[in-house]
């Protein structure tokens, strides 16, 4: 069995960059099939790795896995820049914690989606599978995909993310451009801490997806979440300045 899931852009188009996706607690590579295809459709080379087990895999080992995953994503055995790491849930915490460490993969930007909160009030509570799904998403397609995937580990949101990893993620003052993406209906998020984390970074953007739950990349608003990420990726070519200015009388 291959250790990666790969998604390629339309034939004949120049690859605009490379995206490595790190899943979170209980998730599998298949969890990001829809998301991976959507980014690939915009001519990004997308690869999904296996979710880290932060109880048994240290960050150095994860950094090595990411470096190896990036190695052969281009035809000439290189990597098409910008190289962007997208982490979800515990994957987001791990990616964020890696940014101040050496050695390892050096991304041009990171996307941290559904970063779990550090406070006890943002922890999940044990319950039924339907209750866990309610925490994750209201999207029928995503709920079905999680339920039908035999490798999804149910009850995993009750697994604590190591405090050392969360601390490093929230306390980082990295200069790596960062998009923090969170649903405003995410019961596991600490919105105040996310706002502080965004302000403490040199180049960070906090985007709140209205109505989205913890699995912000796969909730009902998944198209808007993906579009926000593509918009962020495109700013990397313009000194992080948006290429489009919106003025509207709708608000």
């Amino acid at each position: 069995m291959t250790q990666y899931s790969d998604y390629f852009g339309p034939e004949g188009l120049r690859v605009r960059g490379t995206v490595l996706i790190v899943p979170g607690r209980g998730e599998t590579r298949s969890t990001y099939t829809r998301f991976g295809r959507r980014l690939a459709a915009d001519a990004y080379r997308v690869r999904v790795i296996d979710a880290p087990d932060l109880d048994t895999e240290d960050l150095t080992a994860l950094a090595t896995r990411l470096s190896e995953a990036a190695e052969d994503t281009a035809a000439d055995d290189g990597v098409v820049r910008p190289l962007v790491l997208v982490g979800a849930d515990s994957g987001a915490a791990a990616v964020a914690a890696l940014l101040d460490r050496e050695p390892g993969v050096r991304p041009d930007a990171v996307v941290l989606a559904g970063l779990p909160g550090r406070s006890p009030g943002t922890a999940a509570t044990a319950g039924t599978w339907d209750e866990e799904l309610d925490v994750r998403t209201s999207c029928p397609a995503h709920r079905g995909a999680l339920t039908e995937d035999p490798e999804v580990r149910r009850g995993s949101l009750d697994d604590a993310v190591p405090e050392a990893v969360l601390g490093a993620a929230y306390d980082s003052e990295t200069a790596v451009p960062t998009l923090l993406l969170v649903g405003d209906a995410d019961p596991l998020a600490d919105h105040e801490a996310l706002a502080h984390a965004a302000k403490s970074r040199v180049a960070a953007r906090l985007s709140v997806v209205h109505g989205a739950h913890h699995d912000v990349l796969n909730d009902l608003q998944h198209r808007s979440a993906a579009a926000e990420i593509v918009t962020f990726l495109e700013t990397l070519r313009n000194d992080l300045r948006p290429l489009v200015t919106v003025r509207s009388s709708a608000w």
Side-chain angles (χ1 to χ4, degrees), residues 4 29 32 64 68 75 83 132 135 137 150 168 179 204 216 223 226 229:
Y4 308 123
R29 300 198 308 266
Y32 291 91
T64 299
E68 293 172 348
L83 172 63
E132 181 174 345
V135 170
T137 180
L179 171 62
V216 63
R223 292 176 181 83
I229 290 172

Side-chain angles (χ1 to χ4, degrees), residues 223-239:
R223 292 176 181 83
S224 295
E228 181 68 10
I229 290 172
V230 171
T231 297
F232 172 70
L233 297 183
E234 294 299 310
T235 68
L236 299 178
R237 299 176 177 81
N238 195 42
D239 296 326

Side-chain angles (χ1 to χ4, degrees), residues 89-172:
D89 181 62
S90 59
V95 165
L98 282 174
L99 294 180
D100 295 323
R101 296 170 62 96
E102 292 283 356
V105 63
R106 301 311 301 168
D108 298 296
V110 297
V111 177
L112 309 178
L115 186 64
R118 297 171 67 177
S119 63
T122 60
T125 56
T128 66
W129 176 238
D130 281 342
E131 289 170 336
E132 181 174 345
L133 288 175
D134 290 342
V135 170
R136 287 187 175 276
T137 180
S138 59
C139 175
H142 185 47
R143 292 171 73 101
L146 292 173
T147 299
E148 294 165 12
D149 186 347
E151 296 184 5
V152 165
R153 190 163 53 84
R154 301 186 180 194
S156 59
L157 289 182
D158 285 316
D159 296 343
V161 179
E163 174 56 32
V165 175
L166 281 176
Y170 276 99
D171 297 338
S172 172

